[in-house]
Short mmCIF file of all heavy atoms in Angstrom, two decimals:
data_model
loop_
_atom_site.label_atom_id
_atom_site.label_comp_id
_atom_site.label_asym_id
_atom_site.label_seq_id
_atom_site.Cartn_x
_atom_site.Cartn_y
_atom_site.Cartn_z
N HIS M 63 26.04 -4.03 20.23
CA HIS M 63 26.27 -2.70 20.80
C HIS M 63 26.07 -1.63 19.75
O HIS M 63 27.00 -1.21 19.05
CB HIS M 63 27.69 -2.62 21.37
CG HIS M 63 27.93 -1.45 22.28
ND1 HIS M 63 28.37 -1.58 23.58
CD2 HIS M 63 27.80 -0.12 22.08
CE1 HIS M 63 28.49 -0.39 24.14
NE2 HIS M 63 28.17 0.53 23.24
N HIS M 65 23.86 2.19 18.83
CA HIS M 65 23.24 3.36 19.47
C HIS M 65 22.20 3.98 18.53
O HIS M 65 22.37 5.10 18.04
CB HIS M 65 24.29 4.38 19.89
CG HIS M 65 25.12 3.92 21.06
ND1 HIS M 65 24.58 3.70 22.31
CD2 HIS M 65 26.43 3.64 21.18
CE1 HIS M 65 25.53 3.31 23.14
NE2 HIS M 65 26.67 3.25 22.49
N ALA M 95 22.66 -0.31 23.04
CA ALA M 95 23.37 -0.16 24.30
C ALA M 95 23.01 1.18 24.93
O ALA M 95 23.76 1.72 25.75
CB ALA M 95 24.88 -0.27 24.07
N GLU M 160 24.01 1.34 28.51
CA GLU M 160 25.34 1.38 29.11
C GLU M 160 25.34 2.16 30.42
O GLU M 160 25.15 3.39 30.43
CB GLU M 160 26.31 2.10 28.17
CG GLU M 160 26.81 1.26 27.06
CD GLU M 160 27.87 2.00 26.29
OE1 GLU M 160 29.05 1.91 26.67
OE2 GLU M 160 27.52 2.70 25.32
N ILE M 161 25.59 1.43 31.49
CA ILE M 161 25.67 2.06 32.80
C ILE M 161 26.97 2.86 32.86
O ILE M 161 28.03 2.36 32.48
CB ILE M 161 25.63 1.00 33.91
CG1 ILE M 161 24.33 0.19 33.81
CG2 ILE M 161 25.77 1.66 35.29
CD1 ILE M 161 24.38 -1.13 34.55
N GLY M 162 26.87 4.08 33.33
CA GLY M 162 28.05 4.93 33.39
C GLY M 162 27.93 6.14 32.48
O GLY M 162 28.67 7.10 32.63
N LEU M 163 26.98 6.08 31.53
CA LEU M 163 26.77 7.25 30.69
C LEU M 163 25.92 8.29 31.42
O LEU M 163 25.87 9.45 31.02
CB LEU M 163 26.07 6.86 29.38
CG LEU M 163 26.81 5.85 28.48
CD1 LEU M 163 26.11 5.73 27.13
CD2 LEU M 163 28.26 6.24 28.28
N THR M 187 24.13 -3.73 30.42
CA THR M 187 25.50 -3.55 29.93
C THR M 187 26.16 -2.42 30.73
O THR M 187 25.52 -1.39 30.98
CB THR M 187 25.51 -3.17 28.44
OG1 THR M 187 24.97 -4.26 27.68
CG2 THR M 187 26.92 -2.89 27.93
N PHE M 188 27.40 -2.64 31.15
CA PHE M 188 28.15 -1.60 31.87
C PHE M 188 29.22 -1.06 30.94
O PHE M 188 30.04 -1.81 30.44
CB PHE M 188 28.79 -2.21 33.13
CG PHE M 188 28.93 -1.26 34.30
CD1 PHE M 188 28.60 -1.67 35.58
CD2 PHE M 188 29.37 0.04 34.13
CE1 PHE M 188 28.71 -0.81 36.68
CE2 PHE M 188 29.49 0.92 35.20
CZ PHE M 188 29.16 0.49 36.48
N HIS M 189 29.18 0.23 30.68
CA HIS M 189 30.25 0.89 29.91
C HIS M 189 31.56 0.71 30.68
O HIS M 189 31.58 0.83 31.90
CB HIS M 189 29.91 2.38 29.77
CG HIS M 189 31.03 3.23 29.25
ND1 HIS M 189 31.12 3.59 27.92
CD2 HIS M 189 32.09 3.79 29.88
CE1 HIS M 189 32.21 4.35 27.77
NE2 HIS M 189 32.81 4.48 28.92
N THR M 190 32.65 0.40 29.98
CA THR M 190 33.95 0.35 30.66
C THR M 190 34.95 1.22 29.92
O THR M 190 34.75 1.59 28.76
CB THR M 190 34.52 -1.08 30.72
OG1 THR M 190 34.87 -1.50 29.39
CG2 THR M 190 33.54 -2.06 31.35
N GLY M 191 36.03 1.54 30.60
CA GLY M 191 37.09 2.34 30.01
C GLY M 191 36.85 3.82 30.19
O GLY M 191 36.08 4.24 31.05
N GLY M 192 37.49 4.59 29.34
CA GLY M 192 37.43 6.04 29.47
C GLY M 192 36.06 6.58 29.12
O GLY M 192 35.22 5.88 28.57
N PRO M 193 35.82 7.82 29.47
CA PRO M 193 34.53 8.43 29.15
C PRO M 193 34.35 8.58 27.65
O PRO M 193 35.29 8.88 26.93
CB PRO M 193 34.60 9.80 29.84
CG PRO M 193 36.04 10.06 30.08
CD PRO M 193 36.73 8.73 30.16
N SER M 194 33.13 8.30 27.17
CA SER M 194 32.90 8.38 25.72
C SER M 194 32.16 9.65 25.34
O SER M 194 32.25 10.12 24.23
CB SER M 194 32.12 7.16 25.22
OG SER M 194 30.83 7.13 25.79
N ILE M 195 31.35 10.18 26.25
CA ILE M 195 30.67 11.43 25.95
C ILE M 195 30.84 12.34 27.17
O ILE M 195 31.05 11.85 28.28
CB ILE M 195 29.17 11.22 25.63
CG1 ILE M 195 28.44 10.54 26.78
CG2 ILE M 195 29.00 10.44 24.36
CD1 ILE M 195 26.94 10.44 26.57
N SER M 198 30.31 11.50 31.20
CA SER M 198 30.52 10.13 31.67
C SER M 198 31.97 10.03 32.16
O SER M 198 32.78 10.91 31.92
CB SER M 198 30.22 9.11 30.58
OG SER M 198 31.07 9.27 29.47
N GLY M 215 30.69 -3.98 28.89
CA GLY M 215 30.66 -3.35 27.57
C GLY M 215 32.05 -3.00 27.07
O GLY M 215 32.92 -2.58 27.83
N HIS M 216 32.23 -3.19 25.77
CA HIS M 216 33.47 -2.82 25.05
C HIS M 216 34.70 -2.78 25.93
O HIS M 216 35.28 -1.72 26.14
CB HIS M 216 33.29 -1.53 24.26
CG HIS M 216 32.80 -0.32 25.01
ND1 HIS M 216 33.41 0.15 26.13
CD2 HIS M 216 31.76 0.51 24.78
CE1 HIS M 216 32.78 1.23 26.55
NE2 HIS M 216 31.75 1.46 25.76
N GLY M 219 37.47 -0.89 24.82
CA GLY M 219 37.33 0.55 24.69
C GLY M 219 36.28 0.97 23.69
O GLY M 219 36.29 0.55 22.53
N GLY M 220 35.30 1.77 24.16
CA GLY M 220 34.42 2.47 23.23
C GLY M 220 35.17 3.70 22.79
O GLY M 220 35.03 4.18 21.68
N THR M 221 35.98 4.17 23.72
CA THR M 221 36.92 5.22 23.37
C THR M 221 38.30 4.76 23.81
O THR M 221 39.14 4.41 23.00
CB THR M 221 36.56 6.54 24.08
OG1 THR M 221 36.30 6.26 25.46
CG2 THR M 221 35.35 7.17 23.44
N GLU M 242 32.47 -8.03 26.03
CA GLU M 242 32.15 -7.47 24.72
C GLU M 242 33.35 -6.78 24.08
O GLU M 242 34.03 -5.97 24.72
CB GLU M 242 31.01 -6.47 24.87
CG GLU M 242 30.49 -5.91 23.56
CD GLU M 242 29.42 -4.87 23.82
OE1 GLU M 242 29.75 -3.80 24.37
OE2 GLU M 242 28.25 -5.13 23.49
N ASP M 273 29.53 -0.58 18.36
CA ASP M 273 29.57 0.71 19.06
C ASP M 273 29.47 1.86 18.06
O ASP M 273 30.26 2.79 18.05
CB ASP M 273 30.79 0.86 19.96
CG ASP M 273 30.55 1.95 21.02
OD1 ASP M 273 29.48 2.57 21.02
OD2 ASP M 273 31.46 2.18 21.85
ZN1 LIG V 401 30.28 2.98 25.98
#
Side-chain angles (χ1 to χ4, degrees):
H63 195 123
H65 289 296
E160 281 186 88
I161 301 162
L163 300 189
T187 297
F188 212 136
H189 169 98
T190 68
S194 64
I195 58 174
S198 62
H216 54 54
T221 47
E242 185 183 67
D273 201 359

